[in-house]
Amino acid sequence: MLDVPNEGKVRGHQRVPSDSKEFHEVTKRDALRLLENDVDRLLQTTEQVRRPALQAEMGRFADLFGRFLQEEGPALDWNKIQKLPENAVMNYSNLKLPKNEQNEIRNMLDKLVVIKLNGGLGTSMGCHGPKSVIPVRSDLTFLDLTVQQIEHLNKTYDANVPLVLMNSFNTDEDTEKIVRKYKGFRVQIHTFNQSCFPRISREHFLPVAKDFDVEKDMEAWYPPGHGDFYDTFRNSGLLKKFIEEGREYCFLSNIDNLGATVDLNILNKLVGEERASTPVEFVMEVTDKTRADVKGGTLIQFENKLRLLEIAQVPPEHVDDFKSVKTFKFFNTNNIWANLASIDRVLRERTLSMEIIVNNKTLETGLRVIQLETAVGSAMKCFDGAIGINVPRSRFLPVKKSSDLLLVMSNLYTLKNGSLVMSPQRMFPTTPLVKLGENHFSKVKEFLGRFANIPDIIELDHLTVSGDVTFGRGVSLRGTVIIIANHGDRIDIPAGAILENKIVSGNMRILDH
């Protein structure tokens, strides 16, 4: 029996001669052979017509599992990290706007494909179905806003930028129904599915699924992270289609990052008058790291290649160095621009290599499983002429929690053609730090029920709310505001209240007369 500790190293039981190299090699070979046999058994449970496609998918899964067995843990050699070359990360402010000529901009846009990662569910925010259909502003969903942005570009410049959604088996059925409502919009929408891999038991290293009926046992399967994009994009036929249409780059981002809009300055650097003589094959948008972002991936130079370094790859003794804002100034926004012909090349030449993320989970049944994932940004090292661009923080506006929802629903932003624009009344470009208690605010419905309307936060720096707290209509929060209702207490902030640099605690209920 094999056991996998959290850090992802593979070890056998410590019995003699189990510490020998030969023992480990035999154990690994056995584990891979047993897994492949089990996957073959799963494939026999599918209809004949589906089998060839699923066989290729399971082949990729077996490759990933085989690599996982060979890796001796995720840590890289810290001493081999080189200083970032001066030109490795460009400053966004040095990029030039394209000439404001309709034809020029249209030609640039016609070389672009926009891809949104749409595989996630809204369960962490208490919602059913794809996360992309949660209303985030003026009853518009993430998907509505994305379609509005691209339609505005297409109408303004008479262009034809397509939108591609990478779904997972969790989101594809609902998404297919939802995209029908955009039929009359000036946006071509394409969808494809990322892979569906079996979760592996931590006890015996075999799939927990009994057959290939994913619908019957959803917990036995998982989408293997967004690094799966490259293979599944090619296999969908869309990569070939777009290259044949003369498109050159894709702009890929998480659908819940409301700051990830098409940027003409970056596009100008890639396909416009500012394009380099040797193509930039891969761009990662990074932004300045703050104390809130210390766990985010960063850029390093390693073995003369620019690459992404994630916290999971850091040796334990260097985690504090990794988190240092001084040592590593940037973090990855997961806004990626990649050359389509280069994606095709690395796939054909089989030079695509991404670090494995080992995700340990416990299912509702109590069964401990492993899911092996990869991240789209970790392919950076496989491309030539890759660069980072240090973009303004406004291009990183993810909505992961209700505290993020508070920001994007507030008067801090105005909505313009599907894009959120920070209010000019805000004196500084940073967003406030907001922490809302998990017990009372984590689910969207609960969160909305606690606000008569979203407070004015134009002058807010920091807000912490904990416990049973509600907000009346027209509340204004300024500076640092901390509101803590102790267990059993409730605090009702009255309508029209202005709280500036205040701590509110204890019990304060507003009762109807």
Side-chain angles (χ1 to χ4, degrees):
M1 186 178 80
L2 290 168
D3 189 36
V4 182
N6 278 335
E7 69 269 21
K9 290 192 178 183
V10 179
R11 299 185 186 121
H13 277 317
Q14 296 306 303
R15 293 194 197 105
V16 179
S18 64
D19 56 349
S20 73
K21 194 176 177 186
E22 289 79 5
F23 173 83
H24 283 290
E25 288 307 316
V26 170
T27 312
K28 286 172 186 177
R29 278 201 303 274
D30 284 350
L32 183 57
R33 184 175 49 78
L34 289 169
L35 177 112
E36 286 172 339
N37 289 345
D38 219 51
V39 165
D40 282 342
R41 179 188 59 75
L42 284 176
L43 285 166
Q44 298 309 312
T45 67
T46 63
E47 307 95 21
Q48 196 74 39
V49 68
R50 290 180 65 214
R51 219 168 278 174
L54 290 175
Q55 224 157 358
E57 196 164 292
M58 289 302 100
R60 292 202 305 279
F61 169 67
D63 285 348
L64 191 65
F65 183 75
R67 279 208 300 127
F68 159 70
L69 290 176
Q70 291 306 319
E71 288 186 4
E72 286 299 321
L76 53 69
D77 188 339
W78 195 259
N79 298 322
K80 284 188 179 174
I81 295 178
Q82 301 157 298
K83 193 173 185 299
L84 275 181
E86 269 188 30
N87 57 353
V89 179
M90 283 190 73
N91 201 313
Y92 179 84
S93 59
N94 293 337
L95 294 177
K96 292 192 173 123
L97 258 171
K99 289 181 187 142
N100 202 7
E101 291 172 10
Q102 181 95 358
N103 285 351
E104 184 70 30
I105 295 175
R106 184 180 65 223
N107 289 342
M108 282 168 43
L109 288 170
D110 284 345
K111 290 174 181 156
L112 181 68
V113 180
V114 173
I115 298 170
K116 294 287 181 183
L117 302 171
N118 184 48
L121 290 167
T123 41
S124 64
M125 294 177 79
C127 298
H128 296 293
K131 187 176 182 181
S132 56
V133 300
I134 297 175
V136 285
R137 179 88 191 201
S138 313
D139 282 332
L140 296 169
T141 66
F142 291 104
L143 199 47
D144 292 336
L145 294 174
T146 302
V147 170
Q148 278 190 16
Q149 289 162 20
I150 297 174
E151 185 184 50
H152 172 67
L153 272 179
N154 286 341
K155 281 182 169 175
T156 305
Y157 299 105
D158 191 26
N160 181 24
V161 177
L163 170 64
V164 179
L165 302 173
M166 181 170 94
N167 301 328
S168 69
F169 66 89
N170 287 316
T171 62
D172 63 324
E173 202 175 309
D174 288 336
T175 303
E176 290 303 329
K177 290 175 192 161
I178 291 154
V179 295
R180 288 178 202 151
K181 74 175 183 178
Y182 305 119
K183 212 166 184 164
F185 287 68
R186 192 169 162 175
V187 183
Q188 279 181 26
I189 300 178
H190 304 269
T191 61
F192 70 97
N193 269 18
Q194 70 178 116
S195 301
C196 175
F197 284 178
R199 283 177 165 148
I200 310 163
S201 160
R202 282 188 69 183
E203 295 306 314
H204 49 61
F205 269 25
L206 293 175
V208 297
K210 301 285 183 284
D211 56 39
F212 235 111
D213 190 344
V214 177
E215 295 292 316
K216 190 176 76 183
D217 189 7
M218 298 278 268
E219 277 226 306
W221 303 86
Y222 73 100
H226 40 60
D228 187 49
F229 157 73
Y230 303 100
D231 275 307
T232 49
F233 185 46
R234 176 192 52 189
N235 296 344
S236 72
L238 288 170
L239 176 61
K240 183 171 186 275
K241 168 188 160 65
F242 292 135
I243 289 173
E244 285 173 355
E245 285 177 9
R247 299 190 187 273
E248 293 183 25
Y249 281 85
C250 62
F251 170 49
L252 179 142
S253 61
N254 298 346
I255 197 149
D256 64 6
N257 178 7
L258 293 175
T261 57
V262 172
D263 187 279
L264 293 178
N265 295 26
I266 296 176
L267 192 59
N268 192 32
K269 170 73 185 163
L270 299 176
V271 299
E273 58 202 12
E274 291 297 308
R275 76 189 298 165
S277 50
T278 53
V280 173
E281 292 189 352
F282 193 100
V283 172
M284 180 180 286
E285 292 186 37
V286 295
T287 194
D288 291 345
K289 195 194 277 191
T290 68
R291 284 199 300 277
D293 315 306
V294 291
K295 290 184 179 176
T298 192
L299 279 184
I300 59 167
Q301 184 82 353
F302 190 85
E303 295 176 344
N304 299 317
K305 280 273 192 180
L306 196 58
R307 66 186 273 174
L308 177 65
L309 175 67
E310 297 280 11
I311 194 163
Q313 297 163 258
V314 177
E317 65 274 18
H318 289 290
V319 166
D320 287 344
D321 299 330
F322 175 83
K323 290 181 176 179
S324 160
V325 178
K326 284 180 186 162
T327 313
F328 297 105
K329 299 186 176 80
F330 314 115
F331 78 97
N332 170 28
T333 64
N334 216 39
N335 299 347
I336 306 286
W337 302 70
N339 183 279
L340 298 176
S342 304
I343 292 174
D344 186 52
R345 185 194 74 236
V346 297
L347 288 167
R348 272 188 294 102
E349 294 177 357
R350 299 179 68 84
T351 53
L352 187 68
S353 160
M354 292 170 282
E355 285 71 34
I356 296 171
I357 300 158
V358 180
N359 199 342
N360 292 288
K361 286 189 178 288
T362 303
L363 304 184
E364 282 178 10
T365 57
L367 189 66
R368 297 189 311 152
V369 296
I370 296 167
Q371 53 188 54
L372 304 178
E373 302 173 11
T374 55
V376 69
S378 66
M380 186 180 207
K381 63 183 181 297
C382 310
F383 291 86
D384 297 326
I387 61 167
I389 296 181
N390 185 14
V391 297
R393 184 75 184 204
S394 58
R395 290 192 57 74
F396 184 67
L397 190 57
V399 179
K400 304 287 184 194
K401 296 180 173 179
S402 55
S403 50
D404 303 320
L405 208 49
L406 177 72
L407 295 174
V408 301
M409 293 178 85
S410 75
N411 62 341
L412 206 57
Y413 295 98
T414 53
L415 196 57
K416 192 177 176 189
N417 305 312
S419 299
L420 290 184
V421 182
M422 192 174 276
S423 165
Q425 290 175 278
R426 177 84 174 164
M427 298 297 284
F428 24 86
T430 54
T431 52
L433 192 61
V434 175
K435 293 177 185 172
L436 302 177
E438 289 288 314
N439 292 344
H440 296 83
F441 289 86
S442 64
K443 307 285 184 259
V444 172
K445 196 175 174 186
E446 284 178 330
F447 160 80
L448 292 173
R450 293 186 169 273
F451 294 93
N453 69 349
I454 301 295
D456 161 21
I457 61 170
I458 285 284
E459 295 178 42
L460 180 69
D461 297 325
H462 182 136
L463 173 67
T464 296
V465 182
S466 178
D468 187 357
V469 179
T470 65
F471 293 79
R473 187 166 291 279
V475 171
S476 183
L477 305 172
R478 301 170 187 172
T480 296
V481 177
I482 298 169
I483 305 168
I484 297 172
N486 296 325
H487 184 68
D489 290 343
R490 176 167 148 184
I491 295 175
D492 294 328
I493 304 298
I498 298 171
L499 299 181
E500 184 167 2
N501 297 322
K502 288 279 186 291
I503 297 175
V504 182
S505 64
N507 190 353
M508 187 170 80
R509 285 192 87 156
I510 312 292
L511 301 173
D512 286 335
H513 189 51

